[in-house]
Structure formats: C-alpha cells, structure tokens
Amino acid sequence: MSTHEAGISGELRRFLRGGVSLEEHKEATAQTPITTFIPAEVTIPLAQHLGPPAQAIVKRKQVVQRGELIATAEPNGAPVHASVTGTVARVALSPHPTLTEAPAIVITVDPNAAAPQCTDDPAWATLPRDVMLARIEAAGIVGLGGAAFPTYRKLRLPDGVRVDTVVLNGAECEPYLTSDHRLMLESPKDVLRGAWLLAQIIGAQRVVIGVEDNKSDAAVVLQAAVEQLSLSPAPDVLLCRTRYPQGAERQLVEALTGRRIPARGLPLQVGVLVQNVATAIACYQAVRYQQPLLDRVLTVTGPGIGHPMNLRVPIGTLVQDIVAHCGGLDARTAMVIAGGPMMGRALGRLDVPVIKGTGGLLFLRVDDVQREPYGPCISCAACLDACPLGLEPNQISIYTEAGRALETESFGTRECFECGCCAYVCPAERPLVQFIQIAKAAFQTGSAIGLGVRPGVVHG
C-alpha cells in the first residue's frame, strides 16, 4: 500500500536551514526482523543515564530474577534492574562504553530459568497521571534516542509550563541505523499506545509522529494501526523529507509544527515534548505491565561485521559477545562506533556492555575510515551552509587551533549539538566537531591551557 492509499499526506515536512543529504547504508538491515540474543553473562553498569549513578543493593552469589531491582536510584537518577535471571558473579569496576571504567553488576545467566510473567493491568489507560508517571520512574526508563535523560523527569513539567503537542521521533536519520524503523514496522500499536500515554500524562491535545520518507512503509503501518486503535487524540503520522539531522529535536519540531525552539532552549518552551519511538514503547510496557527497561533493540551493522542484524539483547550484553553472535569481525575492521557514524562514539575496546542509550553498533573497515591528515581552513563557507543552527564552526576551529577556545562563544560553541554536518562537508576534512568539543571543554574548565591542537594531525 502506498502512503497516498493509506491516507497519509504527500507533503514532505522539512526543517528550513542547513543539513546534508547522506549516502544511505540502511539496506543491510532495513528488511531484517528483530531477533533476540541472550549471552552467557551480562555486565550491567550502575551509570547508564544523565544524573547520579544508581546504588547496588545485591551481593556476590545472590540469585536474581529478570526484572528484579538490583540498584536503587539516587535523587534525579534512575534505578537499574536485572536484565536476566541468574547469579551475581561480582559487583566491581568494569569497562564502560562512555566512562572508561565504572561500577557494574555482573550476572551469570541461568540458561534454564523460565521467563518471568508480566501482569497485565486492564485499567492502565484510566490510571491517574501520577500513577502512570510513578510506574515509568520505577521502570528506570531513560530517553532511548541516545540522550539517556530519565524520562520521568522530562514528563514532570515545571510549574506553569503547558505542553499541547507530543512529537514522536521516528526519523532515525543516522544513515546505517534501522532499529527504530523495525520497531515501527513490528510493534506499531505499542508505539501508538505509548505516544497516547505520554500525551495523557502531560495533558497534550495533539500527537504527531514524524517519519522520514525513506521509511514510508513504517508510516503506512503506523497509519493503519491508528485507524484500528481509535485513540483520542488520534496520532497524526507525517512524512518528513529524508535529510540529516531531521531526527534532532529542534529540526523535527520545526518540520512538524512550524515552531522554532529558541537558541539553547528546549521544546517545552514552544509547547512541545519530544520522545523517541522506542521510549514510547518502553513507557507503555511500564504502565500497562509494570515492566522495567530490561532490553535494548539495536542495529548491528557496517562492512566490518559478518552478519548485520537488528537485535534485542539484555542490557549489559558485551559488544564482544554480540560480535561473535553476528559472525565475527572482518580482518580489515578498524573502527567500532556505538551509535551512528554522525553522532556516535568510537569504542576503544569490545569488552564494554550495551547500556540503555545504545541504539546501534557500527563496524567500519580501514578503507571506510578517514586516515589522511586534515588541512587548514580554506574559508569556503561550506560548513556555514550545512550547519542547521547557522553557527560558525569554521571560526570555532580556527580560534581553538590557536589556543583561543574561550573566545568562541559568539560563534555558537555552546549552542552546537554536534550533529557533524559541518565536518561532513568540509573539503579540508577538518575534525570540526572535535574542535567544538575541545572549545566546550575549555568553557567547562574555564581554561584553554593544555587544549592545544595542530593542523595536519591524522584523525579518524
């Protein structure tokens, strides 16, 4: 069925400034259904979200059930639950994908354990808002689009703030990732129920789901589910032009609602709350079944992995176990990225776990990675045209290179959300995002001393 036959408007929504058209690499996994992999052992970090890490309440040799609380939340934090049934092997410092090393609970999986049954609450849709919110908080849900901000904090609106629209982010604009695409295709009703639930909690009158037009099949499936569920308010499924970074909050809100978020502002300031489709599903499962966030659906892909897949794995699954499950590495693999190539983070080792914010693993070969030295800025202004915020990454890089990072605020250092459009179009292949990160670090420390960089350095 086409989007026209499904009743979806043919108008492609778009943001107005900058952005880039990326080469697509989704074909390896876009039509690959989500499958489940359970390793022999999981390593569950206590720090997986923005905010203070959780505090472990289990000890070595303790038997735990899948879904059991194993670490309590600190104020403004999120709790952590056992993602498998098994025995605690140790609570100790372990390799971490973003913190180098951090405390974690290692659980040896009981392969014979029966899956715990979740209790269906038939009255879930009529629960008071504070009960819905409490269940989301207890489930340890964080933003699954990558930010990992505790969801209950985002849903607890400040006094005096009114939000009339929930925007559900189904753009998935990173060029290799397809896990959100598969979730929309395989669980459209859960996506819609989750979106409706979020609107009930914050009192929004409208729900809009934005899907890029390279995933029009998902839009068709969602629209069919809209008509079957008869939710009120009925979500609007809208197609967006495929253009990076369409999935960024600021760009998605502008494309779908026409509202522009102020510089360094939040969607709440224009009456909008944005959540990822995977987060919406997790919220629905938490409220209806009181199910904690236990698994992560992620795309494992790239020319450096044997068998690209969309996988559902227990949180805490080690990357090295996923590599083995997916057919191992190509001998020429040179880089592993947690996330997509534009905003992901390179991993220095494979014995790190999947955490709540991990949406993909990308394996690139040596030929796929830039290894040539970057050159000086040639003042072509390509980065100015590409920046979706109208910032000046060229000037930030020049000043930072000269040891003057603290003088870059007027060029937009603090506003940048590091989408990578500037570096993507730079003909001199300058690592502009890294320059901006260095400048941000200078603002945090109040000093640019020790942050010197030189042109011509090999990067990649």
Side-chain angles (χ1 to χ4, degrees), residues 65-70 81-85 116 290 292 294:
Q65 303 294 316
R66 175 173 159 85
E68 181 178 334
L69 183 69
I70 57 175
H81 302 78
S83 59
V84 296
T85 295
Q290 299 189 60
L294 305 177

Side-chain angles (χ1 to χ4, degrees), residues 98-394:
T98 62
L99 303 175
T100 307
E101 199 173 52
I105 300 170
V106 180
I107 303 174
T108 302
V109 176
D110 178 357
N112 300 314
Q117 298 299 311
C118 293
T119 302
D120 186 359
D121 182 351
W124 68 273
T126 59
L127 291 171
R129 294 175 181 177
D130 58 341
V131 175
M132 293 179 175
L133 196 55
R135 290 186 180 183
I136 290 171
E137 180 176 1
I141 296 171
V142 302
L144 301 181
F149 188 81
T151 301
Y152 74 91
R153 291 177 59 190
K154 198 169 183 179
L155 295 173
R156 192 171 287 158
L157 303 180
D159 291 342
V161 171
R162 296 289 181 268
V163 170
D164 60 21
T165 302
V166 169
V167 166
L168 211 58
N169 189 348
E172 198 170 46
C173 56
E174 282 274 9
Y176 282 87
L177 304 186
T178 60
S179 56
D180 285 352
H181 183 189
R182 294 307 310 179
L183 284 172
M184 290 186 285
L185 285 173
E186 298 178 30
S187 304
K189 292 183 179 179
D190 288 356
V191 171
L192 297 176
R193 289 171 177 137
W196 177 86
L197 177 72
L198 296 172
Q200 299 308 301
I201 291 174
I202 62 172
Q205 295 83 46
R206 189 183 183 208
V207 176
V208 184
I209 304 176
V211 182
E212 281 191 333
D213 65 335
N214 62 354
K215 292 175 280 292
S216 58
D217 54 347
V220 169
V221 169
L222 286 170
Q223 184 60 42
V226 168
E227 295 170 7
Q228 293 169 11
L229 290 178
S230 300
L231 298 171
S232 179
D236 293 325
V237 181
L238 301 179
L239 284 175
C240 301
R241 177 185 175 194
T242 299
R243 186 169 177 81
Y244 183 85
Q246 183 62 82
E249 280 191 341
R250 189 179 302 270
Q251 282 62 45
L252 192 61
V253 169
E254 179 180 313
L256 297 180
T257 70
R259 304 175 189 178
R260 303 195 71 173
I261 301 171
R264 299 173 66 180
L266 296 172
L268 296 181
Q269 294 173 252
V270 294
V272 177
L273 182 135
V274 182
Q275 288 288 359
N276 168 269
V277 293
T279 311
I281 293 176
C283 289
Y284 165 65
Q285 293 173 336
V287 172
R288 178 163 182 172
Y289 303 105
Q290 299 189 60
Q291 177 178 309
L293 181 59
L294 305 177
D295 300 326
R296 184 68 228 228
V297 175
L298 71 163
T299 302
V300 184
T301 190
I305 191 73
H307 304 302
M309 299 181 181
N310 287 302
L311 280 182
R312 184 188 305 277
V313 300
I315 290 170
T317 301
L318 297 185
V319 173
Q320 62 189 18
D321 292 334
I322 292 174
V323 168
H325 178 72
C326 293
L329 295 179
D330 184 286
R332 294 165 290 174
T333 300
M335 178 178 283
V336 182
I337 298 173
M342 298 300 288
M343 295 189 70
R345 179 186 294 268
L347 298 178
R349 52 199 299 174
L350 298 182
D351 58 347
V352 295
V354 168
I355 58 177
K356 295 177 180 178
T358 308
L361 293 171
L362 174 59
F363 298 85
L364 299 175
R365 298 176 302 192
V366 64
D367 294 342
D368 308 312
V369 180
Q370 173 64 38
R371 303 297 300 173
E372 297 298 322
Y374 65 85
C377 176
I378 60 174
S379 301
C380 66
C383 60
L384 305 184
D385 293 335
C387 180
L389 297 183
L391 310 181
E392 298 180 68
N394 56 340

Side-chain angles (χ1 to χ4, degrees), residues 371-375 401 429-431 452-460:
R371 303 297 300 173
E372 297 298 322
Y374 65 85
E401 212 167 36
E429 299 181 340
R430 291 170 64 78
V453 290
R454 295 289 183 272
V457 175
V458 173
H459 65 94

